[in-house]
Amino acid sequence: MTRVQRQITLGLRQEGRSRVDWDGAYVRLGPALLRYLGRIARNRADAEDLLQETFERATRADRTLSEADVRPWLYRVATNLAIDRARRGQLIRWIPFTGREPDEGAAFDARADAVRVALRAIPPEQAGALVLRLHEGFSRTEIAKLMNVSERTVKDRLERGRENFAAAYRREESPDEPRT
Amino acid sequence: MNHVRELIHRSLEEPLGPGDQARMTEHLTACVSCAALQAELQRNDRLLGARDNALSLPPRRIRGRSAARVVGPLVGSAAVLALALIVGTQLPGWRIASQAGSPASPQPSPFGSPVDPRVDPRDQPAPPAVAIPTPSGWPGRTHEEVALNIGRDPFVVSVMRELVLPGAAGHDPRAAGLLSLGVPIYVKGFNEPLHDIWLVPVISNAEVIGAFSAPVLPNGRAVAGSYSGFVGRFPHPLPMADAVTKGSVPSDPVVLAELVWTTLGSRQGIANGQTAPFWRVFRKSGASVLIFSDGTIMAAQDLR
């Protein structure tokens, strides 16, 4: 099926489930997904790479989804990839990342930068849950589905994530204070 | 986790029942450390929920396919930002929507993006479900909305047709093949009453050849208002990191940098009366300075 045919098909069948126009989804949802990944990934390049991998997987899977399911499904794939990569990163000890690379496409904001650094300092499952909840607006039920865990686990991740983030952000705010 | 701590966490997620709320309030009025914890967690939730600035979307990577054709309206930041802004003296100046032969009645463009102006509209791909442009514009609050809608703006469609049409008033010899619209860049108005604008680059053969300017109206809608041919690094000759460095002094580093626009005089390295974005950086002390495309630095209060 050509791209044109796919777009036409989608245009006519938006109510129900249909083959997804991933090109269109990339344009529509890619920027927000990149922002999300930019918060939880190790750096900007990693976030871009995860975004690409997310859409490559989406294209390969060639799923039939309703329009409303496309966004959560992409976040699910992206979150799993990000957490998986972060775990592997911890195991093989990447060269330390400062988390302070400036981003050409966005205004520089020291506070937002500190938030990103603090997020990267806490376990990736907790960072993912926090960003999905507070930045992307998913409910706890939706996050449970996205992360394939129980709601109780999501609740725990949010609580522990808030505590750990607070400690990490405090260190960012006052880097000279001794780390506990 | 003690009981009050648990209540504090729960209160961040959902309203507490009257009994729990009263217990927590009573404790917080007497316990400074718990009150501080609650304030800190609430502040952190706001920080985590704050919208980041839009990151520019890279071209979609498709194994075995040409990404540039697939991505359509968005061209990657790496390619786009490596290219340069503009303001060419031999290039057409800003063209205003009302002068550009846009359709008298604002019919929705039949084009999705990318727009190939040489192709009969009936042969163009069916558009995705997006807002129909009207005289009052299209939804333009977010990067995503702009990317989705600007390619269907009648003014944009008409300018892009002219760009590739030899002999047309707006023809640009650099415009060849499939034109794409690049990543929208948000640029603030320098001061009242200037609107904030989206700058959307036009790409031909991986080169930025011009940019549309789309003011954002108070109701959150945007409309393409002008077009200018560009040469140089887009959207500013100085990368943001360099602007941060240039605007910092040892005792007073830059903590915020943003692109702003106004109509500038010739001394800022831009043809007199041209409009172009420049950096406004804020130092830790609150002082703000402007950095123009020729590298000139000026205190913000000196620009009138």
Side-chain angles (χ1 to χ4, degrees), chain B residues 30-42:
Chain B
C31 178
V32 177
S33 65
C34 284
L37 173 71
Q38 186 199 36
E40 184 182 30
L41 293 179
Q42 286 174 338

Side-chain angles (χ1 to χ4, degrees), chain A residues 7 23 26 28 31 35 39 44 49 52 56 59 103 105-108 110 133-135 140 162-163 170 173, chain B residues 5 9 13 40 43 45 48-52 54-56 58-61 63 70 125 240 255-257:
Chain A
Q7 286 186 332
D23 299 340
Y26 186 80
R28 205 170 63 250
R35 265 203 307 263
R39 287 215 149 189
R44 172 66 195 267
D49 200 44
Q52 302 290 0
E56 279 180 14
T59 307
D103 170 23
F108 170 75
R133 179 83 183 100
L134 299 169
H135 194 259
R140 282 191 302 192
R162 281 188 169 105
E163 296 277 342
R170 253 180 259 135
E173 281 186 310
Chain B
R5 213 175 178 96
H9 275 281
E13 285 290 313
E40 184 182 30
R43 179 206 61 177
D45 273 15
L48 284 162
R51 283 278 153 204
D52 286 341
L55 303 180
S56 38
R60 188 174 166 206
R61 187 176 68 202
R63 297 195 199 287
V70 173
M240 185 189 62
V255 294
L256 182 71

Side-chain angles (χ1 to χ4, degrees), chain A residues 3-4 6-8 11 14 21-24 26-35 38-39 44 47-49 51-53 55-56 59-60 102-112 115-116 119 130-131 133-137 140 155 158-160 162-163 165-167 169-170 173, chain B residues 1 5-6 9-10 12-14 37 40-41 43-45 47-63 65 69-74 77 81 113-114 123-129 143-144 147-148 185 233 235 238-241 244 254-259 279:
Chain A
R3 177 168 179 251
V4 172
R6 269 192 296 155
Q7 286 186 332
I8 291 169
Q14 288 188 10
D21 171 16
W22 293 116
D23 299 340
Y26 186 80
V27 172
R28 205 170 63 250
L29 302 171
L33 205 53
L34 182 59
R35 265 203 307 263
R39 287 215 149 189
R44 172 66 195 267
E48 289 189 0
D49 200 44
L51 178 74
Q52 302 290 0
E53 203 171 333
F55 275 88
E56 279 180 14
T59 307
R60 276 204 306 271
D103 170 23
E104 289 277 345
F108 170 75
D109 183 335
R111 200 164 58 173
V115 169
R116 280 190 285 272
L119 274 172
L130 279 177
V131 178
R133 179 83 183 100
L134 299 169
H135 194 259
E136 301 300 316
R140 282 191 302 192
K155 183 173 171 289
L158 288 171
E159 285 180 4
R160 289 173 199 279
R162 281 188 169 105
E163 296 277 342
F165 177 84
Y169 191 76
R170 253 180 259 135
E173 281 186 310
Chain B
M1 190 178 293
R5 213 175 178 96
E6 196 177 316
H9 275 281
R10 189 138 58 84
L12 295 170
E13 285 290 313
E14 62 201 17
L37 173 71
E40 184 182 30
L41 293 179
R43 179 206 61 177
N44 288 353
D45 273 15
L47 286 173
L48 284 162
R51 283 278 153 204
D52 286 341
N53 296 296
L55 303 180
S56 38
L57 191 66
R60 188 174 166 206
R61 187 176 68 202
I62 306 281
R63 297 195 199 287
R65 282 207 277 165
R69 286 189 67 86
V70 173
V71 169
L74 295 179
S77 56
L81 292 170
S113 292
D123 297 332
Q124 295 281 351
H143 179 276
E144 293 91 330
L148 203 56
I185 305 278
R233 189 180 195 287
L238 208 59
M240 185 189 62
V244 168
V254 167
V255 294
L256 182 71
E258 61 188 9
L259 281 170
W279 290 109

Side-chain angles (χ1 to χ4, degrees), chain B residues 91-115:
Chain B
L91 297 167
W94 286 97
R95 294 171 57 203
I96 301 168
S98 60
Q99 300 171 343
S102 48
S105 79
Q107 295 299 313
S109 161
F111 301 147
S113 292
V115 177

Side-chain angles (χ1 to χ4, degrees), chain A:
Chain A
M1 187 182 279
T2 67
R3 177 168 179 251
V4 172
Q5 284 171 323
R6 269 192 296 155
Q7 286 186 332
I8 291 169
T9 304
L10 274 178
L12 293 174
R13 297 173 54 192
Q14 288 188 10
E15 297 291 317
R17 293 162 69 89
S18 59
R19 283 268 173 84
V20 178
D21 171 16
W22 293 116
D23 299 340
Y26 186 80
V27 172
R28 205 170 63 250
L29 302 171
L33 205 53
L34 182 59
R35 265 203 307 263
Y36 165 62
L37 289 167
R39 287 215 149 189
I40 60 172
R42 298 163 64 86
N43 55 32
R44 172 66 195 267
D46 232 19
E48 289 189 0
D49 200 44
L50 286 165
L51 178 74
Q52 302 290 0
E53 203 171 333
T54 299
F55 275 88
E56 279 180 14
R57 290 203 177 194
T59 307
R60 276 204 306 271
D62 201 21
R63 295 274 296 253
T64 302
L65 295 169
S66 71
E67 193 72 12
D69 289 336
V70 172
R71 179 172 178 263
W73 194 79
L74 283 171
Y75 274 87
R76 177 179 186 159
V77 174
T79 302
N80 289 339
L81 286 171
I83 290 174
D84 188 47
R85 187 173 292 198
R87 282 188 188 136
R88 274 189 283 130
Q90 285 165 355
L91 287 176
I92 61 176
R93 295 188 183 281
W94 292 86
I95 295 166
F97 163 61
T98 66
R100 294 183 185 283
E101 285 83 348
D103 170 23
E104 289 277 345
F108 170 75
D109 183 335
R111 200 164 58 173
D113 195 41
V115 169
R116 280 190 285 272
V117 174
L119 274 172
R120 286 166 190 145
I122 70 178
E125 294 87 352
Q126 295 173 13
L130 279 177
V131 178
L132 287 168
R133 179 83 183 100
L134 299 169
H135 194 259
E136 301 300 316
F138 285 103
S139 69
R140 282 191 302 192
T141 310
E142 288 170 324
I143 296 170
K145 283 184 189 164
L146 284 176
M147 300 182 113
N148 202 24
V149 294
S150 68
E151 280 194 54
R152 175 73 221 179
T153 302
V154 174
K155 183 173 171 289
D156 285 347
R157 285 181 182 177
L158 288 171
E159 285 180 4
R160 289 173 199 279
R162 281 188 169 105
E163 296 277 342
N164 290 330
F165 177 84
Y169 191 76
R170 253 180 259 135
R171 288 197 296 269
E172 281 305 306
E173 281 186 310
S174 311
D176 297 333
E177 284 180 12
R179 301 191 173 209
T180 53

Side-chain angles (χ1 to χ4, degrees), chain B residues 232-301:
Chain B
R233 189 180 195 287
F234 187 86
H236 192 280
L238 208 59
M240 185 189 62
D242 291 352
V244 168
T245 305
K246 201 174 172 75
S248 294
V249 291
S251 58
D252 200 4
V254 167
V255 294
L256 182 71
E258 61 188 9
L259 281 170
V260 294
W261 77 276
T262 187
T263 301
L264 299 169
S266 56
R267 80 188 195 84
Q268 282 89 39
I270 295 164
N272 203 20
Q274 285 276 10
T275 300
F278 51 94
W279 290 109
R280 174 164 59 189
V281 300
F282 292 90
R283 293 174 177 156
K284 196 171 181 180
S285 65
S288 64
V289 294
L290 312 175
I291 303 171
F292 298 101
S293 54
D294 65 346
T296 304
I297 296 187
M298 176 190 283
Q301 66 266 25

